[in-house]
């Protein structure tokens, strides 16, 4: 199925959960936060949150700013 | 022997924001540096304990392995102040704060700014008030960027913001304090810390802000865009301390005419 991650399309297997997505993207050990369809997914729910076709995923982190 | 008055009043003169004590009254941003190493060295030289960061999309694909800002500025050592820079609506600012709180494991101190104009980067005050009210209700500790309007500053305090941060001049302009009278009025009326945020250009600007009675100064470009950012960070560190001490010491009255410092008595000429 197809989802959108930070505005880019991405193919993921059916029943892919957030933890698997982050592992696949090599972001599992990075300090980041994530929302799916504008809803924040708590870290504790990564392994149980199953992604759906056309989900909009945003993965954010801290960058330099004033 | 009587105790000598302290010459280092900042040790006994902490900045208290949302119940937490800080020794440094200089807060710094982390944008516009050449690289993370320069960021780290400048923040170190500034002596700042509170550092502002922006919230943006994580690099994906080729850049996924890049070092992270929070690796060089660990939240265990610094109080990280996520900002809502670049947000032009209350909704975007609130969404950014919620994500930041998740990113920082529940840490709820945020710098709210809702911009209203791309050219001046002046804040959208109605949207700022709206966002502040909602964020305070959601339990955020809001340090809010605003114009130097004393009535708006008071209103933001009444909404429950933990610090009010009027601009000295537009963000990144380096024009210094354009309206010291308003800053002074804001300080006089405030029951929460007042920090000048934005517009400082050089060390004397920071000292003036502190001499006006501000509780602190937040800056980014004045350090990052200096020819030598690390040296300027050190200068700002000293300027903020000097300005604070001068404010506490109480300046002499201004006089129109000269007044000799050496005695007339004992003159032999």
């Amino acid at each position: 199925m197809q989802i959108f991650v930070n505005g880019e399309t991405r193919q993921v297997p059916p029943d892919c959960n957030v933890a698997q997505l982050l592992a696949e993207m090599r972001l599992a050990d990075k300090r980041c936060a994530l929302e799916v369809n504008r809803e924040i997914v708590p870290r504790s729910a990564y392994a149980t949150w199953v992604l759906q076709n056309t989900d909009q995923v945003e993965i954010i982190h801290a960058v330099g700013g004033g | 022997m009587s105790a000598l008055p302290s010459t280092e009043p900042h040790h006994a003169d902490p900045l208290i924001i949302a119940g937490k004590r800080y020794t440094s009254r200089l807060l710094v941003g982390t944008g516009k540096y050449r690289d993370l190493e320069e960021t780290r060295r400048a923040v170190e030289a500034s002596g700042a304990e509170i550092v502002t960061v922006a919230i943006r999309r994580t690099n994906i694909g080729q850049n996924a392995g890049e070092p992270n800002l929070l690796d060089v500025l660990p939240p265990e050592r610094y109080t990280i102040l996520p900002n809502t820079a670049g947000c032009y609506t209350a909704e975007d600012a609130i969404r950014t704060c919620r994500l930041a709180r998740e990113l920082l494991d529940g840490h709820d101190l945020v710098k709210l700014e809702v911009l209203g104009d791309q050219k001046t980067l002046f804040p959208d005050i109605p949207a700022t008030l709206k966002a502040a009210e909602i964020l305070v209700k959601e339990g955020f500790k809001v340090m809010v960027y605003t114009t130097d309007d004393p009535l708006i500053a008071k209103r933001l305090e009444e909404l429950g913001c933990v610090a009010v941060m009027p601009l000295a001049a537009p963000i990144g302009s380096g024009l210094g304090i354009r309206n010291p009278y308003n800053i002074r009025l804001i300080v006089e009326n405030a029951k929460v810390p007042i920090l000048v945020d934005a517009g400082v250009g050089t060390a004397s600007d920071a000292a003036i802000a502190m001499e006006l009675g501000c509780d602190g100064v937040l800056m980014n470009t004045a350090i990052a865009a200096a020819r030598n950012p690390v040296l300027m960070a050190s200068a700002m560190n000293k300027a903020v301390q000097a300005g604070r001490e001068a404010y506490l010491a109480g300046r002499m009255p201004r006089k129109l005419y000269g007044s000799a410092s050496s005695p007339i008595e004992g003159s032999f000429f």
Side-chain angles (χ1 to χ4, degrees):
Chain A
M1 64 180 185
Q2 180 174 278
I3 60 169
F4 300 88
V5 180
N6 290 0
E8 293 179 17
T9 57
R10 192 176 184 94
Q11 299 296 326
V12 293
D15 298 326
C16 176
N17 64 41
V18 168
Q20 288 163 337
L21 173 70
L22 289 173
E24 160 74 21
M25 297 181 74
R26 295 183 192 161
L27 291 171
D29 56 348
K30 297 280 177 192
R31 212 189 281 260
C32 54
L34 182 144
E35 59 179 25
V36 176
N37 303 330
R38 294 197 160 220
E39 187 177 346
I40 290 175
V41 181
R43 230 173 296 261
S44 56
Y46 283 178
T48 51
W49 192 290
V50 178
L51 294 164
Q52 309 295 322
N53 194 35
T54 73
D55 269 356
Q56 307 262 354
V57 180
E58 291 289 342
I59 308 173
I60 61 88
H61 68 160
V63 301
Chain B
M1 201 173 86
S2 65
L4 289 169
S6 171
T7 54
E8 296 186 14
H10 55 279
H11 283 167
D13 173 40
L15 168 65
I16 300 175
I17 298 174
K20 191 170 170 193
R21 298 162 74 91
Y22 302 93
T23 305
S24 172
R25 290 175 178 272
L26 174 59
L27 289 68
V28 296
T30 53
K32 300 184 185 171
Y33 287 101
R34 204 165 31 210
D35 51 36
L36 286 180
E37 176 57 15
E38 188 181 68
T39 311
R40 188 192 63 75
R41 289 172 57 223
V43 171
E44 177 99 39
S46 77
E49 296 162 279
I50 303 176
V51 294
T52 311
V53 303
I55 303 299
R56 292 291 182 269
R57 282 174 165 167
T58 299
N59 294 324
I60 55 177
Q62 288 181 330
N63 300 325
E66 277 186 353
N68 190 301
L69 179 65
L70 297 184
D71 295 336
V72 297
L73 300 172
E76 299 75 34
R77 174 166 173 200
Y78 294 100
T79 295
I80 304 296
L81 180 63
N83 67 33
T84 62
C87 292
Y88 282 82
T89 65
E91 290 71 26
D92 284 347
I94 293 163
R95 184 182 176 197
T96 301
C97 289
R98 290 173 180 155
L99 275 166
R101 181 159 63 180
E102 178 63 24
L103 176 72
L104 296 168
D105 302 315
H107 171 76
D108 49 17
L109 189 70
V110 292
K111 173 185 156 176
L112 171 64
E113 61 178 87
V114 186
L115 302 178
D117 173 47
Q118 296 200 346
K119 194 167 181 181
T120 59
L121 299 179
F122 279 141
D124 178 331
I125 296 302
T128 301
L129 290 164
K130 182 181 162 194
E133 189 168 5
I134 293 169
L135 288 168
V136 168
K137 279 191 186 137
E138 290 189 12
F140 285 96
K141 299 183 177 86
V142 181
M143 300 178 69
V144 60
Y145 167 68
T146 182
T147 49
D148 58 7
D149 180 329
L151 299 183
I152 296 299
K154 195 67 191 171
R155 184 83 191 98
L156 288 162
E157 176 188 317
E158 288 164 356
L159 282 175
C161 294
V162 299
V164 176
M165 308 199 290
L167 55 83
I171 295 170
S173 70
L175 288 172
I177 299 179
R178 296 290 84 202
N179 198 337
Y181 307 101
N182 275 23
I183 298 293
R184 196 162 167 175
L185 283 175
I186 291 170
V187 168
E188 279 183 13
N189 288 325
K191 292 195 181 69
V192 294
I194 301 297
L195 296 87
V196 155
D197 176 7
V200 165
T202 188
S204 52
D205 296 333
I208 289 169
M210 297 307 294
E211 287 173 14
L212 287 167
C214 288
D215 297 280
V217 181
L218 196 163
M219 65 178 75
N220 189 152
T221 311
I223 296 173
R227 200 170 58 240
N228 183 336
V230 178
L231 190 56
M232 186 58 89
S234 168
M236 291 299 186
N237 186 356
K238 291 165 183 153
V240 167
Q241 287 186 40
R244 178 65 181 176
E245 290 184 15
Y247 170 72
L248 293 176
R251 63 153 296 143
M252 62 163 283
R254 289 179 174 84
K255 294 174 196 163
L256 192 54
Y257 299 105
S259 161
S261 297
S262 305
I264 304 298
E265 198 183 332
S267 296
F268 54 90
F269 39 76

